Amino acid sequence: MKTDFTEVQRSNPLMQMMEENLRKCVHCGFCLPSCPTYSVLGDERESPRGRIYLIKDMLESRDAPNTETVSHVDSCLSCLACVSACPSGVDYQHYIDYARSYIEDHHQRPWFERFLRSLIVYIITHARFFRFVLRMARFAKPLSRFFSSKIFSVINMVPAELKVEKITNTAKIFPAKGLKIKRVSLLMGCAQNVLRPSINEATIRLLTRMNMEVVVTEGVGCCGALNHHIGKDSIARDLAKTNIDAWLTEFDQRGIDNIIVNAAGCGTEIKDYAYMFKDDLEYNEKAKKISNLTKDISELLSEHQLPSVSLSNQPNIIYHDACSLMYGQGITREPREHLKAVGFELTEIPGRHFCCGSAGSYNLLQPAMAETLKDRRLTLIDKVSKSNRASILATGNIGCLMQLASGTGLQVVHTVELLDWATGGLKPPN
Amino acid sequence: MRMPIPDANIIAQRSEIIERLQQIVPRGEFGDSVIIDSAGLRAYECDGLSAYRQLPLIVVLPETTAQISRILTFCNEIGVKIVARGAGTSLSGGALPLADAVMLGLGKFNKILNIDYANRAVITQPGVTNLSISEAVSDADFYYAPDPSSQIVCSIGGNVAENSGGVHCLKYGLTTNNLLGLEMVLMNGDIIKLGGKYLGSEGYDLLGIISGSEGLLGVITEVTLRILKKPETARAMLIGFNNAALAGDCVATIIGSGIIPGGMEMMDKLAIEATEEFVHAGYPSNVETLLIVELDGPVVEVSDLIARVQNIANGLGSNYIRVSKNEAEREIFWAGRKAAFPAIGRITPDYYCVDGTIPRARLPEVLIKINEMSQKYKLRVANVFHAGDGNLHPLIMYDANELGELERAEEFGREILLLCVDVGGVLTGEHGVGVEKRDLMEKVFTEEDLKQQQRLKCAFDPNGLLNPGKVFPTLHRCAELGRVHVHHGETSFSDIPRF
Ligand SMILES: Cc1cc2nc3c(=O)[nH]c(=O)nc-3n(C[C@H](O)[C@H](O)[C@H](O)COP(=O)(O)OP(=O)(O)OC[C@H]3O[C@@H](n4cnc5c(N)ncnc54)[C@H](O)[C@@H]3O)c2cc1C
Ligand code: SF4
Ligand code: SF4
């Protein structure tokens, strides 16, 4: 596609990346049908091709971004379905990331919106504060229908019977049950550990039973994805640097074979550290190392034999692909194989895969679209569950888990909880 | 690209037009369906032929046929032009906006309305994608046969408007051969129905006229299609050759021996390399030309046909033959071919996809000449070819950021099309005329031929408001066309824009 960038713009490596991608886009539209927002709205501006074009216009005009363009960039879920669909190899992931940070730098949002965006991300990524808010929210829940504002969509996300749990584990090292074959560092995640600590507990139980030593590395915190996805690049980079340093220290001093992530959204982000710092002289090699060490839990499990199955009469389950696992990391086969290997009967959701609307903080910032997408996904899921009498829905990301659980009667769990349960662990909580 | 001069009078009335459109299509839950800001309009400024761009006056995204009817009635009354747009994948600029026209986006017409297996028919809204039709009936082992390579995204309405073809059209026909009925809105707002679920032949074959009408006769709001039972078995073969002439002979021999493959496609080395990188279909890297030949039908018949095709290919010195072993493999063989155009985007910033048809027997000489032209214009070209029906798609690679390259690519494309006509072929196989081939229409039609076609347009759209500037090189007022006979050489009407 023809582009019109100035030499000054071209001297910025990020702008160069933008231009390269624009030039690759041949405007064929093959990405349109994969896009959830386009499938709902049928509007070019709400499609990947349209967004690419709007962003091109924003960059080339060099004016402050207009609110229309901003709204169409904001409504993108960063689900990355369009990336796999593009025959021409357009790297939409980094294209939209940069557009978001460009908007953050060049566009003044109304103060309330600014406040809200920062607040929401702050809450989710700060465990103590998040727990406090959730506790409050339990009281506010019955009142939430009186509030229409976005801020209260956070309240709606809180499951009715949320037990505000503490992390029972204060230990930082979980030894292998038998002869140690590996030492891995587990990312605890920020939101995940508050909303559903049983996921980390199940992961630790399963891996230690598989003779791996699991460590929780001191100093590792939020991966930065939530900030990154709303354009707050410098915060995201700082968080990433903290993590990189902490993991490298662990690696150098005590040795780790892998960094294991069981929240797919975080996994995609950490695997992307290498890209994030590719032009940073100090961090590029370090970031590459961390990204290379990082694996989703399902990738790690594929390299080993799962423990023997001790459960019988496994219930039928449905598996929902998290976009960050499916498109972000290209992982679809592994979780299915593991579930089948430990005896679960698995049914596929029919039709094309679309995002459930969770997408990081998207369901809080764009509640109407998120709700529409959730309903669409659940309509299909409920149909399947009736025909195959499935009672459990499994997925590989905490965001999807919470999003889907808020609208279905099925028990929604993380894949690893089922694997742990079937091989001698605990039954996943409701 | 020269386009009709925009009507300043209409542009001056923009705010009133906006106001009226907003009354007809009110704001929805997710925002406005009448797009007026320049950034939003920008997203609609081109279709799949992105070399030509123009901001539309306004874009409107209606949701019901009644709304379209009201929009057209209003626009007809005050003389506002209309350009319909489906998925915007036209490669001939059919959906290129006009500065003084309302662009009517059909993206919200995305529902399949009725599936009727007993009558082998599907009734659908026009914005539904071609592939969604096959997907919707796949569980019952049915499919919709015409499969443009863009089937994943292009709309059925656009398919009808362009009379689109695809790799399986060799055996199963173009859109027009699989179309049973239509609902459309005329420029005066009338809603008409043509055909239905059953074959009918009373009166003129208006369905045939609407197929390929490129948005010039009416806005299609509902389509009834023929679906087919999937063949008992289908297998695809990859057949490689060291030169294109032998591949051409192979195609001719297969057809000449009475075999009609489900599809028969050809790709040259550049196209093979670019697509292989995207789909990893396992295309061979040591061949100059690759044929994909699909044979379908009862199992025994298919095995027999495969053996016969293999014999023919071996006899002509093929250096690579592979037959798909299962459905997944067959699909991946095709996936590469179907993504061929955009996959070329991996090796060049821009491409111009030419679409001409030639008699199959002339293929080798045409390819040689295209290669000569490629050297003359100093532009690379990859060739993708619906070999079975002689429809050639040279993809001319250029760089729109380099001064003069687009013009060179256009000139190159024009020379290819003229070559197609010279060897006894035609200007377009399936991508339509649009703006791209408009000015070449006079090379194949006489002035009187073209006028007769335009008289037909007058019967549907007497004010010439639907998609003007496309297909016909000269705009005529319907009143003039009504004159009894216009002889060659008679001076043209000087007040009528020629562009
Ligand atoms: C990568 C690629 C591969 C392609 N491969 C093929 C191929 O194999 N075979 C083939 O035939 N074509 C092919 N095409 C061309 C294109 O996809 C077809 O012409 C398609 O039918 C256009 O559909 P659309 O919905 O995108 O229409 P648009 O591009 O939006 O519009 C095309 C024309 O149809 C008119 N139109 C659209 N909808 C309506 C309606 N509801 N009522 C009235 N008029 C309407 C428009 O005014 C315009 O003139 C390809 C295009 C691309 C980009
Ligand atoms: S599929 Fe790729 S090349 Fe085609 S429009 Fe989308 S981003 Fe552009
Ligand atoms: S990332 Fe998802 S929502 Fe965003 S444009 Fe791509 S497909 Fe659409």
Side-chain angles (χ1 to χ4, degrees):
Chain A
M1 193 188 289
K2 188 170 166 29
T3 52
D4 186 14
F5 283 53
T6 62
E7 286 314 314
V8 177
Q9 283 179 316
R10 286 194 178 115
S11 63
N12 170 353
L14 283 164
M15 274 296 185
Q16 268 171 29
M17 175 275 289
M18 297 302 272
E19 187 175 23
E20 258 162 46
N21 279 310
L22 273 169
R23 310 222 49 210
K24 272 210 169 131
C25 175
V26 293
H27 217 252
C28 66
F30 276 38
C31 49
L32 263 60
S34 67
C35 177
T37 53
Y38 181 76
S39 82
V40 172
L41 297 172
D43 181 348
E44 180 77 21
R45 300 172 301 171
E46 288 289 332
S47 78
R49 180 178 64 178
R51 290 187 176 108
I52 288 173
Y53 221 80
L54 290 172
I55 293 165
K56 166 179 160 35
D57 195 43
M58 171 178 89
L59 298 178
E60 286 178 346
S61 73
R62 296 178 287 281
D63 296 337
N66 62 40
T67 46
E68 286 285 330
T69 302
V70 172
S71 84
H72 298 300
V73 172
D74 283 352
S75 65
C76 166
L77 297 133
S78 277
C79 69
L80 307 185
C82 52
V83 179
S84 320
C86 174
S88 190
V90 173
D91 176 6
Y92 181 87
Q93 177 183 1
H94 297 114
Y95 186 84
I96 191 86
D97 279 349
Y98 179 67
R100 293 188 203 278
S101 81
Y102 184 91
I103 288 173
E104 194 64 19
D105 293 344
H106 295 83
H107 172 70
Q108 178 80 287
R109 294 177 190 271
W111 75 266
F112 185 66
E113 203 181 321
R114 279 203 314 273
F115 166 73
L116 197 65
R117 289 166 73 85
S118 301
L119 181 71
I120 286 177
V121 172
Y122 185 87
I123 295 176
I124 304 178
T125 56
H126 289 79
R128 283 172 164 213
F129 196 35
F130 193 17
R131 248 178 251 124
F132 168 76
V133 171
L134 290 184
R135 222 174 280 137
M136 294 296 110
R138 273 173 64 221
F139 299 112
K141 203 169 165 71
L143 304 175
S144 69
R145 65 195 160 96
F146 299 114
F147 305 112
S148 60
S149 162
K150 279 178 187 173
I151 197 167
F152 294 102
S153 50
V154 73
I155 297 172
N156 281 321
M157 198 183 80
V158 180
E161 307 144 57
L162 178 104
K163 281 186 253 122
V164 183
E165 297 178 60
K166 290 208 183 83
I167 315 171
T168 40
N169 300 309
T170 43
K172 296 289 176 210
I173 299 182
F174 304 88
K177 290 278 178 267
L179 196 63
K180 178 167 87 176
I181 55 161
K182 243 184 197 175
R183 186 167 197 268
V184 298
S185 170
L186 176 66
L187 176 83
M188 301 298 273
C190 33
Q192 168 161 302
N193 221 13
V194 175
L195 291 167
R196 199 168 167 88
S198 55
I199 299 174
N200 285 336
E201 286 161 4
T203 309
I204 293 168
R205 275 194 306 270
L206 180 65
L207 293 184
T208 49
R209 270 207 310 285
M210 290 168 71
N211 295 332
M212 294 183 218
E213 179 170 296
V214 180
V215 298
V216 178
T217 298
E218 190 73 48
V220 169
C222 167
C223 67
L226 289 181
N227 277 296
H228 194 184
H229 289 157
I230 61 165
K232 295 189 183 300
D233 264 20
S234 59
I235 305 182
R237 285 171 76 91
D238 287 347
L239 291 168
K241 280 185 184 169
T242 312
N243 292 343
I244 292 172
D245 289 338
W247 270 317
L248 281 180
T249 311
E250 176 90 54
F251 183 86
D252 291 340
Q253 295 179 357
R254 290 168 290 273
I256 39 172
D257 296 295
N258 284 120
I259 293 164
I260 298 306
V261 185
N262 54 16
C266 310
T268 308
E269 181 76 3
I270 298 169
K271 287 181 176 179
D272 201 41
Y273 282 175
Y275 185 93
M276 221 167 159
F277 291 99
K278 73 179 170 38
D279 299 314
D280 183 310
L281 290 180
E282 192 191 344
Y283 271 87
N284 65 357
E285 285 304 321
K286 297 181 185 178
K288 210 187 283 168
K289 186 160 185 180
I290 296 305
S291 290
N292 287 341
L293 280 175
T294 302
K295 287 200 164 109
D296 182 70
I297 176 75
S298 61
E299 290 174 289
L300 176 73
L301 296 179
S302 285
E303 294 165 7
H304 300 272
Q305 186 79 32
L306 287 167
S308 52
V309 180
S310 56
L311 192 70
S312 48
N313 295 326
Q314 282 84 330
N316 287 353
I317 61 167
I318 301 170
Y319 178 75
H320 163 82
D321 286 288
C323 298
S324 42
L325 210 50
M326 180 173 184
Y327 304 121
Q329 301 178 54
I331 298 173
T332 51
R333 189 177 41 84
E334 294 84 343
R336 290 177 166 82
E337 282 174 2
H338 302 148
L339 287 166
K340 284 183 193 152
V342 299
F344 290 99
E345 188 79 45
L346 193 126
T347 314
E348 294 292 338
I349 305 168
R352 271 191 211 145
H353 175 272
F354 281 123
C355 176
C356 65
S358 158
S361 56
Y362 188 93
N363 54 351
L364 305 177
L365 295 168
Q366 305 276 335
M369 178 55 75
E371 201 61 17
T372 307
L373 293 173
K374 180 176 84 181
D375 290 348
R376 284 192 168 200
R377 200 76 195 131
L378 283 176
T379 309
L380 287 174
I381 290 174
D382 287 342
K383 215 193 261 166
V384 186
S385 74
K386 282 201 189 83
S387 65
N388 81 341
R389 291 195 305 271
S391 55
I392 296 180
L393 175 61
T395 186
N397 188 40
I398 180 70
C400 315
L401 193 154
M402 298 305 295
Q403 170 84 346
L404 293 170
S406 67
T408 175
L410 296 172
Q411 186 187 5
V412 191
V413 303
H414 192 289
T415 314
V416 78
E417 293 180 89
L418 294 179
L419 301 180
D420 171 55
W421 177 33
T423 58
L426 297 182
K427 190 169 195 273
N430 271 335
Chain B
M1 181 55 61
R2 283 166 302 164
M3 294 304 286
I5 297 161
D7 184 340
N9 189 23
I10 293 298
I11 297 179
Q13 296 177 61
R14 186 168 183 261
S15 0
E16 293 93 87
I17 302 171
I18 291 173
E19 202 177 306
R20 186 76 189 101
L21 291 177
Q22 283 170 337
Q23 284 164 5
I24 300 174
V25 188
R27 210 182 148 78
E29 185 189 359
F30 293 101
D32 225 332
S33 294
V34 181
I35 302 168
I36 53 177
D37 66 293
S38 68
L41 294 175
R42 180 76 59 199
Y44 285 88
E45 75 174 355
C46 61
D47 55 22
L49 182 60
S50 63
Y52 303 139
R53 298 176 296 274
Q54 168 63 53
L55 281 188
L57 182 69
I58 301 163
V59 176
V60 56
L61 306 174
E63 263 178 81
T64 65
T65 304
Q67 284 174 345
I68 294 186
S69 164
R70 288 172 66 199
I71 294 169
L72 295 202
T73 309
F74 162 70
C75 289
N76 198 37
E77 273 164 16
I78 64 164
V80 182
K81 299 171 184 123
I82 294 281
V83 179
R85 173 180 163 117
T89 67
S90 165
L91 289 172
S92 56
L96 177 72
L98 302 171
D100 58 347
V102 169
M103 170 149 269
L104 195 74
L106 290 143
K108 294 195 189 280
F109 281 72
N110 56 8
K111 281 160 213 75
I112 294 177
L113 303 172
N114 174 262
I115 297 177
D116 179 351
Y117 293 114
N119 286 303
R120 291 189 297 139
V122 166
I123 304 180
T124 174
Q125 290 191 321
V128 168
T129 64
N130 171 297
L131 185 63
S132 303
I133 308 284
S134 289
E135 282 176 353
V137 298
S138 166
D139 280 350
D141 269 340
F142 277 83
Y143 76 116
Y144 174 61
D147 56 345
S149 305
S150 52
Q151 69 181 146
I152 184 170
V153 48
C154 63
S155 75
I156 283 293
N159 286 180
V160 175
E162 299 282 9
N163 190 19
S164 298
V167 298
H168 288 90
C169 288
L170 174 60
K171 187 165 179 179
Y172 298 100
L174 299 161
T175 305
T176 186
N177 308 102
N178 294 272
L179 182 66
L180 291 173
L182 287 176
E183 175 192 84
M184 64 185 245
V185 184
L186 302 182
M187 194 61 216
N188 66 5
D190 286 352
I191 301 169
I192 62 165
K193 292 231 182 215
L194 302 172
K197 281 186 187 170
Y198 320 98
L199 296 175
S201 56
E202 314 84 71
Y204 296 121
D205 179 10
L206 291 179
L207 277 182
I209 289 170
I210 305 302
S211 315
S213 62
E214 304 200 23
L216 267 69
L217 301 183
V219 176
I220 298 156
T221 48
E222 202 178 282
V223 183
T224 308
L225 301 166
R226 165 71 75 227
I227 48 170
L228 301 177
K229 192 83 182 155
K230 285 184 195 161
E232 189 183 311
T233 179
R235 292 172 75 188
M237 305 171 71
L238 300 179
I239 305 175
F241 286 97
N242 265 338
N243 78 55
L246 287 177
D249 285 349
C250 183
V251 171
T253 318
I254 292 172
I255 303 244
S257 70
I259 301 171
I260 303 183
M264 184 146 60
E265 297 288 307
M266 192 187 280
M267 290 195 281
D268 71 3
K269 205 173 175 73
L270 271 177
I272 300 169
E273 283 168 7
T275 52
E276 177 63 17
E277 219 190 294
F278 174 56
V279 291
H280 308 292
Y283 293 154
S285 55
N286 61 340
V287 304
E288 285 301 315
T289 307
L290 184 69
L291 291 180
I292 310 178
V293 183
E294 179 162 296
L295 298 149
D296 60 4
V299 180
V300 234
E301 185 187 331
V302 171
S303 319
D304 174 56
L305 290 175
I306 287 179
R308 284 174 61 195
V309 170
Q310 237 158 354
N311 260 338
I312 295 172
N314 284 328
L316 287 164
S318 153
N319 61 349
Y320 182 91
I321 296 184
R322 194 169 134 211
V323 185
S324 67
K325 285 196 251 358
N326 50 43
E327 200 46 23
E329 201 171 51
R330 183 184 75 88
E331 279 171 12
I332 196 130
F333 284 3
W334 283 122
R337 166 59 189 91
K338 289 197 171 165
F341 300 174
I344 292 290
R346 290 173 178 263
I347 55 174
T348 174
D350 300 275
Y351 68 82
Y352 167 31
C353 171
V354 186
D355 163 48
T357 301
I358 54 168
R360 267 187 306 268
R362 309 291 294 269
L363 177 68
E365 82 184 86
V366 168
L367 287 180
I368 291 171
K369 289 212 173 109
I370 290 180
N371 273 329
E372 287 166 10
M373 291 180 212
S374 162
Q375 280 161 15
K376 174 170 123 195
Y377 289 101
K378 298 198 177 53
L379 294 172
R380 287 188 299 166
V381 60
N383 283 293
V384 179
F385 187 39
H386 295 304
D389 38 25
N391 184 195
L392 192 65
H393 293 315
L395 300 161
I396 301 174
M397 296 177 233
Y398 69 99
D399 181 342
N401 280 6
E402 291 297 322
L403 206 69
E405 280 212 4
L406 168 64
E407 290 71 23
R408 256 181 19 244
E410 285 177 321
E411 198 42 45
F412 186 174
R414 196 180 133 85
E415 202 174 324
I416 295 178
L417 289 173
L418 292 177
L419 172 67
C420 291
V421 176
D422 272 356
V423 299
V426 292
L427 283 180
T428 166
E430 53 183 22
H431 296 171
V433 176
V435 289
E436 183 223 359
K437 303 184 200 87
R438 181 192 67 197
D439 295 343
L440 292 174
M441 288 287 273
E442 288 163 321
K443 301 277 176 206
V444 265
F445 293 106
T446 65
E447 194 181 338
E448 194 50 32
D449 289 342
L450 287 174
K451 284 191 173 162
Q452 188 59 22
Q453 291 201 27
Q454 291 186 74
R455 286 188 192 106
L456 186 66
K457 173 165 169 69
C458 291
F460 285 85
D461 172 25
N463 300 327
L465 295 173
L466 282 165
N467 216 5
K470 317 288 171 71
V471 185
F472 299 109
T474 316
L475 282 184
H476 289 284
R477 288 204 190 104
C478 290
E480 297 139 24
L481 291 165
R483 289 189 184 182
V484 190
H485 199 80
V486 187
H487 285 285
H488 285 292
E490 196 178 299
T491 40
S492 325
F493 302 89
S494 52
D495 60 327
I496 290 168
R498 201 189 152 82
F499 45 89

